[in-house]
Amino acid sequence: VTDTTLLAFDWGTTSARVYRLGHDGSVLDRRSAPLGVLHVRDGDFAAALRTLAGDWIDIDAPRIASGMIGSRQGWLEAPYVPCPAALDTLAGGIVRTPGGELMIVPGVTCRDAAGIPDVMRGEESELAGAVEAADGRVLAVLPGTHSKWARIEGGRLVDFATYMTGEIYGALIGHTILGRLASPPQASDAPPGTGFVRGLERGMGAGGLMHDLFGARTLALAGELAPTDVGDWLSGLLIGREIRSARTAAQRAGHDASQVLLIGADALVARYAQAFAHFDIVARRAAADAAARGLWRIARRAGIVRR
Amino acid sequence: VTDTTLLAFDWGTTSARVYRLGHDGSVLDRRSAPLGVLHVRDGDFAAALRTLAGDWIDIDAPRIASGMIGSRQGWLEAPYVPCPAALDTLAGGIVRTPGGELMIVPGVTCRDAAGIPDVMRGEESELAGAVEAADGRVLAVLPGTHSKWARIEGGRLVDFATYMTGEIYGALIGHTILGRLASPPQASDAPPGTGFVRGLERGMGAGGLMHDLFGARTLALAGELAPTDVGDWLSGLLIGREIRSARTAAQRAGHDASQVLLIGADALVARYAQAFAHFDIVARRAAADAAARGLWRIARRAGIVRR
């Protein structure tokens, strides 16, 4: 382990990952644990760090983290830095825990035209890993409980918007009448059924979302949507509507929205890839381990890692 | 009680009301009980009817009902009749329970341009009571868990759309991160605070709903929205967005949307009245007991009541 230049922590709300990085920033090894911020007992983050790192705790290399570990509920708050945010901006906002155990990258905030704030924490590091300055203008999408759409120009995060798509799906299927005619949820990694594409089409229409959602009930009531398709239809509706809204917003900002960069690797990201293909939007997939790559770039910029 | 011409039941999911009507259809008296369809034990609707009616059960007058009592989960299914629906259409769809205890008015269904069905059950009778043929073209709004917007021409229900506003509010505040920074819910009949108007303004904007909702969290995180205002802000956002969507849909259908008829009498309806006033939409309030009045009109049209 003498080839380690950095230990990079992607430390979120429910889970945490640590990467051991080599001299060129490549991922030599990785570990993970269900030790997200919500699961750390008694606020003893130092103990959680030791559990997560295991014997890597003895490696003589700097440690850097991103994600909810830097929130008010985390180890130490790393105040949000504003957009536009370059690598320098992120590097300049790094904070260090009192005992020197960990450096933490700040989240980013921006405001829309109406002055309403938006925030991200963790995604800024994934973006730093997935997009290089030479990529020019990029519209990046990070699907999730709270999907993020980010506009990047020359490696600077210009602005971004959060869509609560994943969390709204869960609340609707679990806690409204829409879930009552749905069959028990399929495994989250099951490929979407035919209901998904029908929902996507509805989602790309111009109706009001709070009305369109009701279709998940009425189609099922009318026998025109199978109980096993209700969840997929709803998922398609929400993802389709997210894409329509975000594309419109990007176009208003003068950004080409016919191509996107899709960041992530789970079943949800595969759904988004299918949705983009359905609507003839070219979705390039980012390389894996974007967070680790981004943390390495930020650490280098901050002078934490030297080549 | 010899002056009774009709016992009219407004029998919903959670509660039930019965009206004793006189010769001109006026409400002589009313009773209610928490005996909605979901609370009737062992499907014994005849017993629930006796409990609800009390000593009125011995009155020699016809009995007619509307609402979820006519759904698949109710006493007897009264199949939906299609739009356009006139009084004759509703009268022609009445079903009678096997023991002759009760006549039940059908719900109404319609389809939008994309062929997606919508349904109502109970609101058709309120509309029949609130709107007369001589009223011409009317855009009627019935706020609720599932708000209904109905277009009526010459007393015929042309089409309508459901907005899940109330239920979505409950799911978001109770089961997503948006409720976490909100102070405990105020009494449902409390007048809305300043957050409501700020939410309304956001709701009438052109953003994507799944993005705009996140403002309830970010504004609170940034200290720009008091915890006691989070619920009102969210309520304003959703009601504002409902009004924007429904107004756009009505205008597309060639309907004047500068005036609406507002049906209902609870605190939620007062919120809608405030919202309409804020956006310079003239909202006329329907007279009370619209369901009772509508059931009397339908019963007369069906020849169940004779003058």
Side-chain angles (χ1 to χ4, degrees):
Chain A
V1 295
T2 55
D3 51 352
T4 307
T5 59
L6 186 69
L7 290 173
F9 294 76
D10 176 7
W11 201 328
T13 304
T14 55
S15 66
R17 258 181 299 273
V18 53
Y19 299 87
R20 193 165 65 79
L21 304 183
H23 282 279
D24 54 356
S26 60
V27 175
L28 301 176
D29 203 355
R30 76 200 74 200
R31 292 175 176 177
S32 66
L35 278 172
V37 167
L38 286 182
H39 303 147
V40 172
R41 285 204 199 157
D42 304 325
D44 192 348
F45 291 98
L49 174 70
R50 287 191 298 273
T51 303
L52 179 57
D55 59 359
W56 293 357
I57 201 74
D58 298 320
I59 295 176
D60 180 26
R63 305 187 198 113
I64 192 167
S66 63
M68 293 306 281
I69 191 68
S71 71
R72 231 169 274 172
Q73 289 75 42
W75 193 336
L76 177 69
E77 186 173 4
Y80 295 109
V81 296
C83 279
L87 275 186
D88 281 336
T89 321
L90 296 174
I94 291 174
V95 299
R96 182 188 289 264
T97 57
E101 299 92 340
L102 194 62
M103 281 168 284
I104 304 178
V105 172
V108 181
T109 186
C110 67
R111 287 186 188 263
D112 68 15
I116 310 277
D118 207 331
V119 292
M120 63 166 55
R121 218 177 249 293
E123 292 91 350
E124 74 295 326
S125 299
E126 293 181 74
L127 290 166
V131 184
E132 298 191 73
D135 292 337
R137 301 182 107 195
V138 176
L139 181 60
V141 185
L142 300 100
T145 305
H146 294 172
S147 289
K148 306 285 182 187
W149 286 66
R151 294 197 307 123
I152 298 165
E153 293 181 16
R156 288 154 55 98
L157 175 54
V158 177
D159 59 28
F160 61 92
T162 301
Y163 291 81
M164 297 183 64
T165 313
E167 190 170 14
I168 289 172
Y169 174 82
L172 292 175
I173 205 86
H175 301 284
T176 73
I177 201 170
L178 299 182
R180 270 191 232 149
L181 294 179
S183 67
Q186 302 180 350
S188 64
D189 57 349
T194 57
F196 183 66
V197 170
R198 290 173 64 193
L200 279 179
E201 293 285 346
R202 184 67 163 174
M204 288 297 271
L209 181 61
M210 290 187 291
H211 165 63
D212 288 349
L213 286 169
F214 198 50
R217 174 154 182 88
T218 56
L219 286 169
L221 265 182
E224 296 168 23
L225 186 66
T228 51
D229 274 341
V230 169
D232 279 334
W233 190 90
L234 197 56
S235 163
L237 170 61
L238 294 174
I239 290 173
R241 190 55 51 94
E242 175 191 325
I243 292 173
R244 185 168 80 89
S245 297
R247 184 168 70 173
T248 301
Q251 286 168 338
R252 264 194 212 121
H255 208 108
D256 173 26
S258 66
Q259 295 187 43
V260 298
L261 175 67
L262 192 48
I263 302 176
D266 60 7
L268 182 63
V269 174
R271 275 182 186 248
Y272 276 72
Q274 183 179 342
F276 285 123
H278 186 73
F279 296 120
D280 291 326
I281 295 170
V282 177
R284 187 162 58 84
R285 301 284 289 267
D289 298 327
R293 184 184 312 265
L295 283 167
W296 197 72
R297 283 188 187 148
I298 295 164
R300 270 208 354 208
R301 183 63 60 107
I304 294 166
V305 180
R306 283 171 205 85
R307 288 209 277 192
Chain B
V1 297
T2 55
D3 51 353
T4 308
T5 59
L6 184 70
L7 290 173
F9 294 76
D10 176 7
W11 201 328
T13 303
T14 55
S15 66
R17 258 181 299 272
V18 52
Y19 299 89
R20 194 164 65 79
L21 304 184
H23 281 281
D24 55 355
S26 60
V27 174
L28 302 176
D29 203 356
R30 76 200 75 201
R31 292 174 174 177
S32 67
L35 277 172
V37 167
L38 285 183
H39 303 148
V40 172
R41 284 205 200 157
D42 305 324
D44 192 347
F45 291 98
L49 174 70
R50 287 191 298 273
T51 303
L52 179 57
D55 59 358
W56 294 357
I57 201 75
D58 298 320
I59 295 177
D60 181 24
R63 305 187 198 112
I64 192 167
S66 64
M68 293 306 282
I69 192 67
S71 72
R72 232 170 273 173
Q73 289 74 42
W75 194 334
L76 177 69
E77 187 173 3
Y80 295 110
V81 297
C83 280
L87 274 187
D88 282 336
T89 321
L90 296 174
I94 291 173
V95 300
R96 182 187 289 265
T97 57
E101 299 92 340
L102 194 62
M103 282 167 285
I104 304 177
V105 171
V108 181
T109 186
C110 67
R111 286 186 189 263
D112 68 15
I116 310 277
D118 207 331
V119 293
M120 64 166 54
R121 217 178 249 293
E123 293 90 351
E124 75 295 325
S125 299
E126 293 181 75
L127 291 166
V131 184
E132 298 192 74
D135 292 336
R137 302 182 107 196
V138 176
L139 181 60
V141 185
L142 300 99
T145 306
H146 294 171
S147 289
K148 306 284 183 187
W149 286 66
R151 296 197 306 123
I152 298 166
E153 293 182 15
R156 288 154 54 97
L157 174 54
V158 176
D159 59 28
F160 62 92
T162 301
Y163 291 81
M164 296 183 65
T165 313
E167 190 170 15
I168 289 171
Y169 174 82
L172 292 175
I173 205 86
H175 301 284
T176 73
I177 201 170
L178 300 182
R180 269 190 232 150
L181 294 178
S183 66
Q186 301 180 349
S188 64
D189 57 350
T194 57
F196 183 65
V197 170
R198 290 173 63 194
L200 278 179
E201 292 285 348
R202 184 68 163 173
M204 288 297 271
L209 181 60
M210 290 187 291
H211 165 64
D212 288 349
L213 287 169
F214 198 52
R217 174 153 182 88
T218 55
L219 286 168
L221 265 182
E224 297 169 22
L225 186 66
T228 51
D229 274 340
V230 169
D232 278 336
W233 190 90
L234 197 57
S235 163
L237 170 60
L238 294 174
I239 290 173
R241 190 57 50 93
E242 174 190 327
I243 292 173
R244 186 168 78 90
S245 297
R247 184 168 71 172
T248 302
Q251 286 167 339
R252 266 193 210 121
H255 208 110
D256 173 27
S258 66
Q259 295 187 43
V260 299
L261 174 67
L262 191 49
I263 302 175
D266 60 8
L268 181 63
V269 174
R271 274 182 187 248
Y272 276 71
Q274 183 179 343
F276 285 124
H278 187 73
F279 295 120
D280 290 326
I281 295 171
V282 178
R284 187 163 59 85
R285 300 285 289 267
D289 297 327
R293 185 182 311 264
L295 284 167
W296 198 72
R297 282 186 188 148
I298 296 165
R300 270 211 353 211
R301 183 62 59 106
I304 293 166
V305 180
R306 284 171 204 85
R307 290 209 278 189

